Amino acid sequence: MSIYIIKAKKIITVSKKGTIDHGAMVVQNGKIMNISTWEKINQKYHQVPLLDYSDYIICPSLVDCHTHLLEFGPPSQFPITQETHLLAGKAILLNTLCAGITALGEQVCGNPICDLRVSELKRAAQDIPMDISFAASILSLGFKRLIHFTAVTGSTPVPREVLVSKEVLETLASENEYAGENIFINATPGNFLESEVPNAGELIYSQQELEYIVSIFHEQGQQIGAHAAGEPGIQMALEAGFDVLHHAHGITDSQIEKAARQKTQVVATPLGGTHLKPNTFAEIMKMVNAQISVSISTDAFLPPYEKNAVALQNDRKTLMGPEALMAIANPYMKGMLEYGYSENEALALITRNPAKVLGKETQFGSLEAGKEANFLIAEGTPGIEIVNPNKIKAVYFRGEKVVSRL
Ligand SMILES: [Zn+2]
């Protein structure tokens, strides 16, 4: 079926068109050809097959722009060996797709267990009906003795000086596909116990080094993002001109203003991921009010931050994956509605804004003529009315139905 019309009770476009009640889309060759009210579409198109989902809503499929599913995910989810590492990665991707996510921003940091490069992970994922962008990264872990890995040196830890080597940075920039967590300005606790990572939060680079790293990426026409938390680390990132701040836990009011002026994007990770507490609802709202493009991401797999105010559906102490995206975004999205924002603006936190982080906002993340037909059929608005992936009845990727619970 290379052309079809699909209609629903309402379409949340996350575009200038906002929500279209009794809306319909014409999909041809994987792209949206027209989107309007059913009345107008019905008048204009004849003898085009119709898919009628009048009991459901349609919205863009979800985007999780900060994940670690292929490198660190597999051994955390399955008792695998090197031989079955990528198979486990694919199982995780299928599960992600079933949760309504059709685009990911994956970090490649250099995994101590499995020696995989960006190119190998790309090849492994190429048959998955999903758009995956890879960030080539340098990981710094806050053990008693700091340990660093890079996406271009694989599973062997590297000494500190390698992190600012011109050759390594140029290779990273050339393999990099988007402004992910490219470097860790502060050492991360990872998923280790507090006692195991006493140096989590430690600043890794000087201001001069950060400016040098940014210049190498920008010279190659690459945007660059950083893991940053706490006032000093965030200040350094803002002054060095990073395009995207990942986490930004502990961002101050004046830093929010500076980020807004510079058009720095923020990827918020309510499950945790740094040495500090995740941002509160009030902090996220300050960023949204300042018109910073804020995305919510799982940073999967993470254990939920224990003292997190986020009201998760269950009290799982286990690691949480991308299937939790709607649940973790829920308090922020509902809060936005209470502050007078529309459901389109709230849904942008897990669709259009993360698509922008990936540099692919002209391709997907909202439903508009000319964009890829990546969308969901759901019982309600994801992250607002529904948080359980089972309430997503179908997932479409480039016009093809790839998940069906109908
Ligand atoms: Zn991360």
Side-chain angles (χ1 to χ4, degrees):
M1 193 162 41
S2 74
I3 181 167
Y4 59 89
I5 294 173
I6 190 159
K7 69 183 257 206
K9 181 165 64 182
K10 68 174 181 181
I11 301 183
I12 307 162
T13 68
V14 195
S15 76
K16 287 199 188 84
K17 286 194 176 174
T19 295
I20 306 170
D21 287 317
H22 306 291
M25 286 195 300
V26 185
V27 175
Q28 187 174 32
N29 299 329
K31 292 203 167 162
I32 299 164
M33 196 170 129
N34 200 342
I35 179 165
S36 187
T37 59
W38 162 241
E39 208 184 348
K40 285 191 182 152
I41 297 283
N42 189 34
Q43 276 167 12
K44 199 167 168 191
Y45 296 87
H46 305 280
Q47 292 177 325
V48 175
L50 172 69
L51 305 174
D52 188 347
Y53 292 112
S54 294
D55 293 336
Y56 298 105
I57 67 115
I58 288 177
C59 70
S61 50
L62 312 182
V63 181
D64 194 348
C65 69
H66 180 151
T67 56
H68 300 260
L69 304 183
L70 295 175
E71 244 188 5
F72 292 97
S76 80
Q77 300 300 303
F78 297 98
I80 43 142
T81 65
Q82 283 207 12
E83 220 31 62
T84 44
H85 185 105
L86 289 173
L87 180 60
K90 287 184 185 189
I92 292 170
L93 292 180
L94 177 60
N95 204 33
T96 301
L97 194 63
C98 291
I101 296 164
T102 62
L104 289 174
E106 260 286 285
Q107 320 310 306
V108 184
C109 301
N111 182 332
I113 305 162
C114 208
D115 200 1
L116 291 162
R117 297 283 294 259
V118 171
S119 55
E120 290 165 290
L121 294 172
K122 260 189 106 64
R123 211 175 312 127
Q126 70 188 3
D127 55 347
I128 310 280
M130 197 179 248
D131 193 296
I132 308 178
S133 306
F134 290 91
S137 304
I138 298 175
L139 168 68
S140 299
L141 279 158
F143 291 112
K144 195 156 186 221
R145 221 177 123 235
L146 291 171
I147 298 184
H148 315 282
F149 292 93
T150 89
V152 298
T153 48
S155 54
T156 322
V158 295
R160 166 71 177 72
E161 61 264 27
V162 171
L163 311 193
V164 288
S165 128
K166 187 166 192 270
E167 197 194 333
V168 166
L169 289 168
E170 283 180 347
T171 314
L172 269 183
S174 70
E175 293 189 5
N176 188 54
E177 296 182 331
Y178 86 103
E181 191 174 37
N182 295 112
I183 68 160
F184 287 65
I185 291 182
N186 311 83
T188 178
N191 288 345
F192 295 94
L193 296 173
E194 228 173 292
S195 58
E196 295 172 303
V197 280
N199 286 317
E202 192 85 351
L203 292 167
I204 304 293
Y205 301 89
S206 71
Q207 187 65 38
Q208 204 184 1
E209 286 170 335
L210 291 180
E211 283 163 19
Y212 176 63
I213 294 168
V214 170
S215 74
I216 288 185
F217 274 66
H218 284 177
E219 271 164 29
Q220 291 197 24
Q222 281 286 333
Q223 291 217 320
I224 180 167
H227 168 115
E231 188 172 0
I234 293 172
Q235 194 63 28
M236 290 171 91
L238 288 170
E239 277 165 22
F242 281 84
D243 302 286
V244 178
L245 296 183
H246 290 261
H247 312 296
H249 299 159
I251 191 168
T252 66
D253 289 356
S254 67
Q255 290 177 331
I256 289 174
E257 281 168 35
K258 186 168 168 63
R261 274 197 307 276
Q262 296 180 186
K263 300 213 182 312
T264 312
Q265 300 171 67
V266 173
V267 176
T269 56
L271 285 176
T274 73
H275 62 295
L276 296 178
K277 272 198 302 222
N279 290 320
T280 61
F281 170 67
E283 285 165 333
I284 302 251
M285 279 316 295
K286 274 184 195 165
M287 293 193 258
V288 170
N289 288 336
Q291 295 185 313
I292 292 175
S293 179
V294 177
S295 304
I296 294 206
S297 178
T298 60
D299 195 2
F301 286 81
L302 279 184
Y305 188 76
E306 278 189 37
K307 296 162 214 119
N308 204 337
V310 173
L312 293 165
Q313 286 302 95
N314 51 35
D315 57 356
R316 283 170 60 176
K317 292 276 180 286
T318 47
L319 298 176
M320 298 188 80
E323 76 286 344
L325 181 60
M326 290 185 284
I328 65 166
N330 176 259
Y332 304 95
M333 292 173 66
K334 273 170 95 170
M336 279 181 73
L337 296 190
E338 281 158 28
Y339 273 63
Y341 286 95
S342 72
E343 60 186 344
N344 286 266
E345 289 162 311
L347 194 53
L349 297 184
I350 52 173
T351 57
R352 192 183 63 213
N353 296 354
K356 187 174 174 194
V357 170
L358 300 177
K360 292 179 173 168
E361 73 274 26
T362 57
Q363 264 172 267
F364 55 77
S366 57
L367 301 177
E368 290 177 278
K371 289 197 173 162
E372 289 176 11
N374 301 349
F375 61 90
L376 307 178
I377 311 286
E379 285 182 17
T381 312
I384 298 175
E385 292 162 347
I386 64 163
V387 293
N388 183 338
N390 289 330
K391 307 236 168 187
I392 293 173
K393 293 301 162 189
V395 180
Y396 283 74
F397 179 69
R398 296 181 187 159
E400 301 285 347
K401 192 196 271 187
V402 290
V403 171
S404 179
R405 294 189 180 95
L406 288 158

